Every structure is written in structure tokens, then in C-alpha cells.
């Protein structure tokens, strides 16, 4: 090789090196972007609206000058088919992580296939897929809470109050006549909450008599309707109302108010969630107690996990059960501790 040719090659290599270094530098300078696609089952659900509000806040805490976090939300309005289309749309729009609150928790396959084809991980939340579906792919996670715990805590609060206040047994027959207002059938939080709340009260030595169980799909207006029917069927006989969530407990109270019952003739009511209005009702002593569904904790875990899945950093700071599940604890809210929460919630 001639000296001239050798020099040209060396110069060219130098230029290439410079170019490569520039590219590499530029790549680390590019702001990293986490695009979170959120798909949820129904906008009319009060608890979920509050949870998604918390998620937006939590994701915001990860943003800085060189790190962008966006969140796109889609409401499936109760249709699984719509949700599948929305997930496809979120993926087309460039989301690199999905948070999915399934409409039908037993039917996630289509959504899992879409995500897997695009190699985009899914964090399911609040509506827990069945265990075998969670095994369909290794990039599936779940963030939520243990349904059984919420029922047990609701049952403990009810048992304590019944033992403390003998007037709850209005007809003095030594038994507590009760009704249950239930969420959607087939939802993990419906079957398990009802069962464990009732079992806990019975195991504490209180005798219960079930009058009726009514489905009201987590919804205040449906619960009011169902409750009005029950009151008609069992006038002045209901002593305890267990509701699978606060919205339905409040619907039950609405029914008594609508029928012009005086407060002294009301049964006692228990909810679950600790929504803004739920906490207010505990504060005003309309609701005897609620179980706090830790939306702040769930949102913080989802945000951390979403960022970790995209950036590959921060996974070790999360505590998983069975490698895929994050469960946040529930806790009781009654007269005794409500003032602490009201302050925190900035009423
Ligand atoms: C439950 C919550 C209900 C409702 C439901 C929707 O955890 O207590 O209020 O939001 O999730 O899946
Ligand atoms: Ca009684």
C-alpha cells in the first residue's frame, strides 16, 4: 500500500470515529420518553377516576428536563371489544408501556397478544386477571390489593360496632338482620369481600340473619334502587348494610333519605374504598366505617413499575409477590381515625 493511500485510510477512519462518537453522544442526550397508555373499564366508576388522578400525579413526579413522561387515557365504557381497539390505538400512538384495567378480567388474551406483538409490557390493575392468564407472557404484571383483607377489615369494624352498641339489634332478637350490596358479579372484589366480611362477623360470635343480597355494580344510583326494593320487602327489619364499596353504601343511605326515614330508624352502613365522598360520610357519621383502598399506594407502585419497565432502572426498589404481583394493604377508617384522613385529603 502506498503512503498516500495509507494516509487517506487513516484520515477516513478518523472521520468515521468522530462521527460515531458524535452519534453516541447525541443518543445519550436524547431525552428518554415514557409513554404510558392507560385503558380503563368505565369512566362512571368513582374509585377508578380517583385512582387514575393519582396515577397522573405520580407519573408527573418522574419528569424532569431530560426525561419526558406522558399519559394517554382511554375509557372502554364497559365494552371489552372497545377496550381491545383502544389498546391497539394506544400502541399505534407509540405507547411503550400499558396500564390496563380490563373490562372482562377473564378475557385478556387479545390484549396480551397485541402487546406481545409490539413488545410492550402490561401492568394490569384493579381488576385482577386469572392466574393462568398472567402466565401467558413474562412481561405481564398486576398492581392491586387483596380482596380478602378488605372483607375481613369490614367485618371486624362491623363486629366491633355491633358489640359496642346493642341498639343496632333493633328488634332485640339476638341476631343481626343484614343485607349486602354487591359489585359486578365475577369481579374478585365482589365474591371475596362479601364472603370474608360475613365470615368475620360470624366468627366473632355474632349471630347473623341474611335477608337479601343485591347486585348494584359498584354504582350509587343502582344501589339506591336496589335498596329501595329491599326496604319495601323488609320494612324496618334491616339492621346492617354491608356494601362492597362506598358508592353503593352511599346509594343505600340515599334510599333511606328518599323514603323519608328519620336517621334514628336507619340501620348501620359499611363501605370500602375511602373515596372523597365516602370519607366525608364517615366524617358526618352517616357511614359507620370504610376500608381504605390505597389508591395513592397503588398509583405510586404503577408509576414506578411503568418507568422501570421502560428504562430498565428501578426494578429492585419494588416488592413483588410471585414475581409479577404488587399488593397494597387496606386499612380501616372509622370515627376514631377519620380526622387524620380528612386533613390529608385536603377537604
Ligand atoms: C374495586 C373498588 C370499586 C370499583 C371496582 C372496579 O376495587 O372497590 O369501587 O372501583 O374496584 O373494578
Ligand atoms: Ca335483630
Amino acid at each position: 500500500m502506498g503512503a498516500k493511500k495509507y494516509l487517506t485510510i487513516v484520515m477516513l477512519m478518523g472521520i468515521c470515529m468522530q462521527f460515531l462518537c458524535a452519534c453516541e453522544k447525541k443518543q445519550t442526550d436524547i431525552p428518554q420518553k415514557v409513554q404510558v397508555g392507560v385503558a380503563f373499564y368505565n369512566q362512571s366508576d368513582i374509585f377508578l377516576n380517583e385512582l387514575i388522578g393519582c396515577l397522573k400525579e405520580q407519573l408527573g413526579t418522574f419528569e424532569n428536563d431530560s426525561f419526558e413522561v406522558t399519559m394517554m387515557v382511554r375509557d372502554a365504557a364497559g365494552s371489552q371489544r372497545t377496550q381491545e381497539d383502544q389498546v391497539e390505538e394506544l400502541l399505534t400512538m407509540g405507547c411503550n408501556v400499558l396500564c390496563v384495567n380490563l373490562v372482562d378480567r377473564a378475557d385478556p388474551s387479545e390484549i396480551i397478544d397485541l402487546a406481545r406483538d409490539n413488545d410492550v409490557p402490561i401492568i394490569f390493575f384493579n381488576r385482577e386477571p386469572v392466574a393462568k392468564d398472567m402466565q401467558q407472557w413474562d412481561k405481564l404484571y398486576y398492581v392491586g390489593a387483596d380482596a380478602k383483607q378488605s372483607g375481613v377489615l369490614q367485618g371486624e369494624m362491623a363486629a366491633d360496632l355491633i358489640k359496642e352498641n346493642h341498639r343496632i339489634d333493633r328488634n332485640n332478637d339476638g341476631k343481626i338482620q343484614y343485607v349486602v350490596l354487591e359489585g359486578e358479579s365475577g369481579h374478585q372484589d365482589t365474591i371475596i369481600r362479601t364472603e370474608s366480611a360475613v365470615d368475620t362477623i360470624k366468627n366473632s360470635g355474632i349471630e347473623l340473619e341474611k335477608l337479601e343480597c343485591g347486585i348494584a355494580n359498584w354504582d350509587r344510583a343502582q344501589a339506591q334502587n336496589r335498596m329501595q326494593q329491599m326496604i319495601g320487602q323488609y320494612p324496618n327489619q334491616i339492621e346492617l348494610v354491608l356494601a362492597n364499596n362506598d358508592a353503593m353504601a352511599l346509594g343505600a343511605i340515599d334510599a333511606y333519605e328518599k323514603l323519608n326515614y328519620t336517621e334514628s330508624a336507619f340501620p348501620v352502613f359499611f363501605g370500602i374504598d375511602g373515596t372523597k365522598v365516602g370519607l366525608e360520610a364517615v366524617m358526618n357519621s352517616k357511614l359507620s366505617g370504610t376500608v381504605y383502598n390505597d389508591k395513592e399506594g397503588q398509583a405510586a407502585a404503577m408509576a414506578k413499575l411503568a418507568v422501570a419497565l421502560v428504562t430498565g432502572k428501578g426494578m429492585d426498589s419494588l416488592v413483588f409477590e410471585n414475581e409479577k404481583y404488587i399488593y397494597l394493604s387496606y386499612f380501616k377508617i372509622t370515627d376514631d381515625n377519620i380526622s387524620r384522613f380528612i386533613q390529608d385529603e385536603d377537604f
Side-chain angles (χ1 to χ4, degrees):
M1 193 189 295
K4 213 168 155 193
K5 208 166 176 188
Y6 180 76
L7 207 70
T8 317
I9 290 174
V10 170
M11 270 170 65
L12 274 173
M13 274 171 69
I15 292 168
C16 280
M17 283 299 284
Q18 251 180 357
F19 184 69
L20 275 174
C21 288
C23 280
E24 205 166 61
K25 181 147 190 307
K26 202 160 166 233
Q27 222 161 45
T28 51
D29 281 353
I30 293 173
Q32 276 186 287
K33 200 169 172 185
V34 178
Q35 278 183 278
V36 187
V38 180
F40 76 125
Y41 90 104
N42 207 328
Q43 196 175 16
S44 68
D45 189 294
I46 313 247
F47 173 73
L48 275 165
N49 275 301
E50 293 187 1
L51 173 59
I52 287 167
C54 291
L55 178 60
K56 191 165 176 31
E57 230 171 76
Q58 287 295 327
L59 284 170
T61 65
F62 285 89
E63 269 203 307
N64 59 44
D65 293 346
S66 56
F67 193 73
E68 196 185 335
V69 185
T70 61
M71 171 169 135
M72 279 176 271
V73 184
R74 294 290 177 273
D75 158 35
S79 155
Q80 178 68 26
R81 189 64 234 280
T82 304
Q83 188 165 66
E84 285 155 10
D85 293 345
Q86 289 174 335
V87 165
E88 194 165 12
E89 185 205 344
L90 288 167
L91 289 165
T92 313
M93 289 171 84
C95 289
N96 47 16
V97 56
L98 293 172
C99 293
V100 179
N101 173 242
L102 287 163
V103 175
D104 182 352
R105 75 181 190 101
D107 188 15
S109 296
E110 181 79 29
I111 287 174
I112 294 174
D113 288 348
L114 284 166
R116 195 201 280 117
D117 291 347
N118 290 274
D119 198 28
V120 170
I122 307 181
I123 304 168
F124 291 108
F125 66 102
N126 171 267
R127 298 159 79 87
E128 186 173 339
V130 290
K132 88 172 178 337
D133 284 328
M134 288 295 287
Q135 300 306 324
Q136 284 195 39
W137 187 32
D138 61 352
K139 293 190 180 168
L140 305 178
Y141 297 85
Y142 178 72
V143 175
D146 172 25
K148 179 160 185 207
Q149 187 192 27
S150 56
V152 168
L153 296 180
Q154 189 184 55
E156 284 176 1
M157 286 190 303
D160 286 349
L161 192 68
I162 292 163
K163 286 180 181 169
E164 216 168 84
N165 182 350
H166 294 285
R167 279 187 317 208
I168 292 174
D169 180 11
R170 305 184 150 273
N171 63 351
N172 242 321
D173 65 349
K175 294 184 222 161
I176 300 298
Q177 280 71 28
Y178 76 100
V179 301
V180 187
L181 285 165
E182 298 199 297
E184 296 156 276
S185 62
H187 191 300
Q188 84 275 351
D189 288 339
T190 298
I191 318 155
I192 302 176
R193 280 179 182 170
T194 302
E195 237 174 51
S196 50
V198 169
D199 286 351
T200 304
I201 303 174
K202 284 185 180 157
N203 292 341
S204 80
I206 292 165
E207 206 178 325
L208 286 179
E209 183 186 344
K210 178 165 115 185
L211 298 178
E212 185 95 25
C213 232
I215 295 218
N217 298 310
W218 312 119
D219 183 74
R220 183 167 179 160
Q222 286 186 44
Q224 180 185 333
N225 260 327
R226 235 8 227 105
M227 193 71 223
Q228 278 182 230
Q229 288 167 6
M230 294 184 195
I231 298 170
Q233 219 171 328
Y234 303 98
N236 292 312
Q237 292 172 55
I238 303 166
E239 298 171 337
L240 165 69
V241 178
L242 296 172
N244 285 166
N245 77 346
D246 284 353
M248 296 189 294
L250 292 163
I253 298 172
D254 294 340
Y256 279 90
E257 286 176 349
K258 182 101 186 280
L259 295 172
N260 287 323
Y261 270 67
T262 55
E263 271 191 34
S264 58
F266 281 22
V268 287
F269 305 88
F270 289 89
I272 293 176
D273 276 346
T275 55
K276 195 167 189 285
V277 278
L279 293 179
E280 270 166 351
V282 176
M283 183 73 171
N284 304 331
S285 306
K286 289 193 166 190
L287 201 56
S288 296
T290 187
V291 180
Y292 201 75
N293 197 350
D294 184 5
K295 55 183 185 292
E296 288 81 8
Q298 290 162 29
M302 286 164 69
K304 252 191 192 174
L305 180 55
V307 172
L309 287 169
V310 175
T311 61
K313 284 182 220 140
M315 250 355 214
D316 351 324
S317 69
L318 290 155
V319 183
F320 292 98
E321 266 176 52
N322 292 331
E323 292 164 16
K324 289 171 173 274
Y325 295 85
I326 300 179
Y327 292 111
L328 278 291
S329 281
Y330 285 102
F331 46 90
K332 299 175 197 175
I333 299 188
T334 61
D335 251 7
D336 297 340
N337 61 353
I338 182 69
S339 51
R340 278 213 314 266
F341 289 94
I342 293 285
Q343 266 167 19
D344 287 357
E345 289 274 319
D346 196 19
F347 279 85

